[in-house]
Amino acid sequence: MKTILTTATLAILLAVDTCSGDKKSNESLSSEIESSIAKIGIKNAEKYSGKLDDLLTLEIAAKVTGNDLSTAEKDYSQVFEDPKTHSVSYGWTNGRKLITDLGFTTIETDKSDMVSLSWVSTMSPENFKAMYREITDEDIQNAQAAMEQRVNEGNLDPEAKKLAMEMAAGFMERDNTREWIDGVGDMAVWIPADKSLKVFNQGLTFSLFADISDDNAINRAAAIDISKLIIKEKL
């Protein structure tokens, strides 16, 4: 049965009790609301553990992307034991190409249109906000300093140290933009560099990856629409 006790409903109850002068303190009632939301998240996480393809179905993926059900390639990854690391993806070959520059030559290979669901787990709203907050220059500098310390403490030869620092620098220089999206669950944030939408809904979080176009605006729209359908039909 679909849970009808939404976060918005709980917030309204809090407001009503506050205005009506209920004896419970706001702090106590807020704690009850957080507990209720957490229980909903745990329930849904348990419900779909090992069954992510019941959460992101082929039908939902095909409907939003406009692809044929019969030509989809499905992959359910469970490499590690922890359910949070599991993922389900659907791919279609529609003629896109991936160009890889090796320096001395380039390689052209087929690139599938793909949508994927992963990192389904429970989390508090505060932790979600903290995890996906905007990354500052100070964050990058601190991470760089920590990486340098780790490399210097390791028993690496000069070439290995140089390679490690170059890899770290490349990661730090990536696009760390976060765009908070309204109207998707309780909270959602689009990370363009990852082509993924991180969603928080009633204590449950998930990551929706969409790479169906070379235009990231189309990927963003697909991730949003798929996430909305998942929440509407499954949560």
Side-chain angles (χ1 to χ4, degrees), residues 11-221:
I12 292 171
L13 291 175
L14 172 60
V16 170
D17 277 343
T18 300
C19 294
S20 63
D22 192 284
K23 292 182 180 179
K24 291 183 179 179
S25 68
N26 291 348
E27 183 177 343
S28 175
L29 191 54
S30 177
S31 178
E32 289 183 20
I33 290 174
E34 290 178 3
S35 177
S36 296
I37 293 173
K39 288 178 181 178
I40 294 171
I42 292 171
K43 178 181 177 181
N44 281 322
E46 292 175 346
K47 178 180 179 181
Y48 292 107
S49 179
K51 297 180 289 186
L52 296 185
D53 47 355
D54 284 344
L55 189 56
L56 172 59
T57 63
L58 173 57
E59 288 74 18
I60 288 177
K63 179 179 180 179
V64 173
T65 61
N67 285 299
D68 194 326
L69 292 169
S70 64
T71 59
E73 295 181 5
K74 175 183 174 182
D75 178 62
Y76 201 118
S77 175
Q78 301 180 79
V79 176
F80 300 104
E81 185 176 348
D82 188 349
K84 292 195 296 292
T85 65
H86 298 174
S87 66
V88 62
S89 62
Y90 304 99
W92 290 267
T93 301
N94 289 324
R96 284 204 298 158
K97 298 294 181 180
L98 175 64
I99 309 298
T100 304
D101 187 355
L102 300 178
F104 59 91
T105 187
T106 58
I107 298 177
E108 183 178 278
T109 55
D110 290 333
K111 181 179 182 180
S112 296
D113 293 348
M114 183 173 293
V115 295
S116 176
L117 176 73
S118 61
W119 294 103
V120 177
S121 63
T122 57
M123 186 181 294
S124 71
E126 292 77 19
N127 285 345
F128 184 86
K129 291 177 184 177
M131 178 173 289
Y132 297 115
R133 66 178 176 80
E134 194 72 32
I135 295 177
T136 65
D137 290 340
E138 183 180 358
D139 292 329
I140 295 175
Q141 291 169 5
N142 290 339
Q144 184 75 35
M147 175 61 71
E148 290 178 0
Q149 181 178 351
R150 289 287 297 276
V151 169
N152 290 331
E153 290 175 351
N155 296 319
L156 300 177
D157 61 57
E159 283 300 316
K161 283 186 178 182
K162 180 182 177 182
L163 178 60
M165 293 307 301
E166 288 176 350
M167 291 175 64
F171 178 79
M172 301 301 175
E173 292 172 0
R174 60 171 284 179
D175 180 5
N176 290 303
T177 302
R178 275 101 165 97
E179 179 190 356
W180 289 89
I181 307 294
D182 293 328
V184 183
D186 297 324
M187 290 181 284
V189 58
W190 169 249
I191 303 181
D194 295 341
K195 300 179 182 178
S196 66
L197 185 71
K198 314 299 183 182
V199 180
F200 175 87
N201 186 74
Q202 299 186 71
L204 187 77
T205 68
F206 61 83
S207 177
L208 200 295
F209 169 82
D211 184 5
I212 62 171
S213 171
D214 294 332
D215 183 348
N216 223 14
I218 294 176
N219 296 326
R220 174 184 178 278

